[in-house]
């Protein structure tokens, strides 16, 4: 048997309701080539798993979830996808919480890079959707926010493939979930983008893995010393230090830009601070124009380059387009960061007011943490000293709500999908970006909570 240096576990959570046929077909027809491409670029041992999900009865009388645990054989994954039917669905929300729970219960390998590709065009129950048959949330009592926190502790990064435009009203919610796990939200405006998301997302995650132990040691050292640990500050320090070393990583981009994250939206960022889904529900019950006034006004001080417009959001944070904040052109003035691009010649005064607001918010961090080298002065822990990432129990198949499907028609997914045109995903080799640094620190923090 061939020996690999890296291990990769990819689990798919696939919405199998009527609107998702084209995405099922794209995954089915390309899964073997996807695995081939990943192995060609990284020479890793790849396993695949699939969780199909629809909804609870009476919204859907077929099944809630169907789980297929990990396999090394891409052809087996393809058979599972051939057996998927895109049908039913009932109301707009689907069994999102149940699908996340099934992902958590898969037999993940402790030492593998772990990714969940969550493909959806609908919200979970309980977000105030019109005609929601379960307005109180998941009828099984599952909390998607708490489950995502458990996924993060297990080292599983969630990549949400959000099928737009139908998902746009709930984009902030999914931005928050992906931030918690250190994953990414990827807008799916065309079906064939799914292939690139899976391939390039996996390659990016594998390239980031080499920094995990370094970040864990920094975070652990601060916890041992009893210091207040500021996620954004540590991410800045890590970003600058690794950029100075000149190490390159793979990066998933859309139209030559980084993907939007929870840092792009005050609303999404605020959702990441909430402890339970019930808190999020309270906010979503309010009219959209009142939501921001009802949540804590967070200071978003990370000037990363993923500040793309979030569809339908008027509170999106943006930087002057002439700035290149992710190029690591920052200088240290004590513990204060300021961009050299924002200084006028011969002076230390900031020119752009938006940049000035961003930089000024870092002043309060002065003296809280030392530079990166000092963060690592405590004894380096061995791997046995770090929290385990194992969450492996065998996948559990939920019982069907009915012995047979009712009103299920033949899926249009059997047709060969056509190639759409639209926003394009690509993989680039670049310095570690600030947003990637934020994701690494976020993952480490979740492990130590």
């Amino acid at each position: 048997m061939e020996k690999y240096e890296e291990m990769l576990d990819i689990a798919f959570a696939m919405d199998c309701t009527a609107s998702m046929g084209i995405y099922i077909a794209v995954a089915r027809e390309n899964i073997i080539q996807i695995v081939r491409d990943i192995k060609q670029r990284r020479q890793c041992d790849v396993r695949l798993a699939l969780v199909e999900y629809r909804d609870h009865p009476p919204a859907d009388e077929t099944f809630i979830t169907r789980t297929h645990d990990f396999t090394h054989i891409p052809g087996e994954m393809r058979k599972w996808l051939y057996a998927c039917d895109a049908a039913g669905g009932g109301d707009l929300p689907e069994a999102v919480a149940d699908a996340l729970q099934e992902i958590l219960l898969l037999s993940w390998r402790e030492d593998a890079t772990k990714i969940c590709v969550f493909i959806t065009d609908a919200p979970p129950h309980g977000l105030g959707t019109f005609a929601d048959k379960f307005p109180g949330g998941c009828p099984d009592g599952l909390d998607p926010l708490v489950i995502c926190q458990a996924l993060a502790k297990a080292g599983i990064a969630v990549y949400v493939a959000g099928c737009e435009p139908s998902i746009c009203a709930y984009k902030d919610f999914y931005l928050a979930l992906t931030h918690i796990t250190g994953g990414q939200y990827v807008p799916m405006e065309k079906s064939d983008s799914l292939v690139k998301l899976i391939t390039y997302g996996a390659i990016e995650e594998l390239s980031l893995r080499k920094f995990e132990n370094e970040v864990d040691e920094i975070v652990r050292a601060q916890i041992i010393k009893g210091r207040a640990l500021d996620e954004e500050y540590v991410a800045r320090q890590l970003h600058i230090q690794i950029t100075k070393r000149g190490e390159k990583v793979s990066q998933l981009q859309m139209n030559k830009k980084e993907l939007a994250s929870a840092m792009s939206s005050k609303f999404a960022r605020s959702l990441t601070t909430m402890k339970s889904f019930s808190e999020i529900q309270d906010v979503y019950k309010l009219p959209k124009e009142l939501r921001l006034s009802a949540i804590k006004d967070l200071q978003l001080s990370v000037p990363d380059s993923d500040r793309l417009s979030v569809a339908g959001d008027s509170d999106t944070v943006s930087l002057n387009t002439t700035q290149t904040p992710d190029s690591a052109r920052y200088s240290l003035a004590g513990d204060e960061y300021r961009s050299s691009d924002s200084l006028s010649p011969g002076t230390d005064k900031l020119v752009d007011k938006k940049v000035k607001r961003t930089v000024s918010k870092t002043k309060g961090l002065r003296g809280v943490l030392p530079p990166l080298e000092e963060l690592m002065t405590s004894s380096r822990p061995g791997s046995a000293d770090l929290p385990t990432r194992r969450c492996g129990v065998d996948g559990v198949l939920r019982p069907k709500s009915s012995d047979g499907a009712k009103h299920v028609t033949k899926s249009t997914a059997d047709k060969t999908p056509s190639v759409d045109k639209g926003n394009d995903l690509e993989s680039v080799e670049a310095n570690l970006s600030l947003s990637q640094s934020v994701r690494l620190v976020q993952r480490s923090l979740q492990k130590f909570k």
Side-chain angles (χ1 to χ4, degrees):
M1 185 175 178
E2 191 171 357
K3 188 175 181 180
Y4 298 98
E5 293 183 0
E6 297 176 304
M7 294 186 294
L8 174 65
D9 286 350
I10 308 178
F12 295 78
M14 181 76 74
D15 183 337
C16 292
T17 54
S19 59
M20 300 298 291
I22 188 65
Y23 292 94
I24 296 172
V26 166
R28 179 181 65 222
E29 298 305 324
N30 292 278
I31 191 63
I32 293 176
Q33 187 60 45
I34 287 169
V35 173
R36 223 175 259 153
D37 290 346
I38 293 172
K39 284 185 174 182
Q40 186 176 11
R41 293 183 64 169
R42 296 292 302 199
Q43 288 296 306
C44 59
D45 175 19
V46 182
R47 296 195 312 166
L48 303 168
L50 174 65
V51 173
E52 307 169 54
Y53 73 95
R54 285 184 182 161
D55 208 351
H56 297 262
D60 192 295
E61 298 290 349
T62 55
F63 63 86
I64 302 170
T65 61
R66 288 198 300 223
T67 301
H68 310 270
D69 211 346
F70 284 106
T71 178
H72 280 98
I73 306 170
E76 188 172 2
M77 176 71 166
R78 194 181 186 199
K79 288 180 182 178
W80 297 337
L81 291 166
Y82 262 112
C84 286
D85 254 345
D91 55 356
L92 174 61
E94 309 296 357
V96 170
D98 298 81
L100 288 168
Q101 176 77 351
E102 293 300 315
I103 290 293
L104 179 63
L105 294 175
L106 292 170
S107 56
W108 299 89
R109 291 177 290 186
E110 181 178 356
D111 296 327
T113 298
K114 309 175 188 70
I115 307 171
C116 165
V117 179
F118 199 95
I119 307 160
T120 182
D121 68 347
H125 288 286
L127 287 186
T129 309
F130 178 73
D132 186 347
K133 288 184 171 60
F134 305 101
C138 173
D140 287 343
L142 297 174
D143 186 320
L145 192 64
V146 171
I147 296 170
C148 278
Q149 291 163 356
L151 288 167
K153 286 180 182 294
I156 304 165
V158 176
Y159 276 59
V160 171
C163 305
E164 297 188 351
S166 58
I167 201 66
C168 286
Y170 307 96
K171 194 167 186 173
D172 283 306
F173 171 76
Y174 283 113
L175 283 168
L177 290 193
T178 56
H179 177 82
I180 290 168
T181 68
Q184 299 193 83
Y185 173 91
V186 186
M188 292 285 104
E189 295 182 2
K190 55 176 186 172
S191 57
D192 66 315
S193 293
L194 183 61
V195 176
K196 295 180 180 179
L197 159 60
I198 299 165
T199 306
Y200 300 155
I203 292 168
E204 177 173 340
E205 287 301 314
L206 287 165
S207 73
L208 290 175
R209 185 70 188 268
K210 62 184 176 182
F211 301 115
E212 284 189 358
N213 288 338
E214 182 177 350
V215 180
D216 286 347
E217 289 172 8
I218 294 169
V219 172
R220 187 176 186 273
Q222 295 309 293
I223 293 173
I224 290 173
K225 294 175 182 177
R227 283 178 172 163
L229 196 150
D230 187 282
E231 172 189 347
E232 296 175 2
Y233 185 93
V234 176
R236 287 174 183 274
Q237 294 275 25
L238 181 70
H239 169 55
I240 291 174
Q241 190 70 16
I242 293 176
T243 300
K244 286 180 179 178
R245 299 204 304 249
E247 295 189 58
K248 301 293 184 182
V249 296
S250 294
Q251 189 178 100
L252 176 64
Q253 293 189 355
M254 175 172 280
N255 297 334
K256 311 295 183 183
K257 296 180 181 178
E258 284 191 81
L259 297 165
S261 75
M263 307 305 292
S264 310
S265 164
K266 289 182 181 179
F267 184 43
R269 186 72 178 94
S270 297
L271 297 180
T272 67
T273 68
M274 297 181 180
K275 304 300 182 185
S276 68
F277 186 60
S278 60
E279 293 181 53
I280 293 178
Q281 286 179 288
D282 290 340
V283 177
Y284 267 92
K285 288 176 184 176
L286 300 171
K288 184 175 179 180
E289 59 271 15
L290 297 180
R291 289 173 187 170
L292 279 178
S293 61
I295 59 180
K296 183 179 179 181
D297 185 21
L298 294 177
Q299 293 190 359
L300 306 181
S301 59
V302 175
D304 68 40
S305 65
D306 69 353
R307 315 222 179 217
L308 306 178
S309 176
V310 179
D313 289 340
S314 59
D315 58 290
T316 302
V317 180
S318 62
L319 289 175
N320 188 318
T321 55
T322 61
Q323 301 297 325
T324 54
D326 243 354
S327 62
R329 292 173 185 158
Y330 295 95
S331 57
L332 274 173
D335 288 322
E336 177 186 349
Y337 286 88
R338 62 180 60 174
S339 170
S340 59
D341 291 339
S342 63
L343 301 179
S344 58
T347 178
D348 62 352
K349 293 183 179 179
L350 295 168
V351 178
D352 185 84
K353 291 183 178 179
K354 289 184 180 178
V355 177
K356 183 176 181 178
R357 284 201 301 273
T358 300
V359 174
S360 66
K361 289 172 184 174
T362 68
K363 290 181 179 178
L365 299 174
R366 183 173 295 172
V368 174
L369 290 176
L372 190 63
E373 294 85 350
E374 294 181 33
L375 294 179
M376 301 177 67
T377 54
S378 65
S379 60
R380 289 176 174 268
S383 58
D385 297 323
L386 297 174
T388 178
R389 289 193 163 200
R390 181 182 297 278
C391 72
V393 295
D394 289 337
V396 179
L397 183 64
R398 287 187 179 277
K400 293 184 179 181
S401 57
S402 174
D403 292 335
K406 297 181 180 179
H407 309 295
V408 177
T409 58
K410 184 174 178 61
S411 170
T412 57
D414 294 333
K415 300 177 182 178
T416 302
S418 59
V419 177
D420 302 324
K421 293 183 179 180
N423 288 339
D424 196 25
L425 293 171
E426 62 180 345
S427 179
V428 300
E429 292 294 313
N431 292 327
L432 182 78
S433 73
L434 191 52
S435 59
Q436 287 176 318
S437 183
V438 168
R439 286 162 53 200
L440 285 168
V441 174
Q442 171 66 16
R443 294 176 194 182
S444 187
L445 286 172
Q446 290 292 339
K447 284 192 294 179
F448 288 95
K449 282 185 178 179

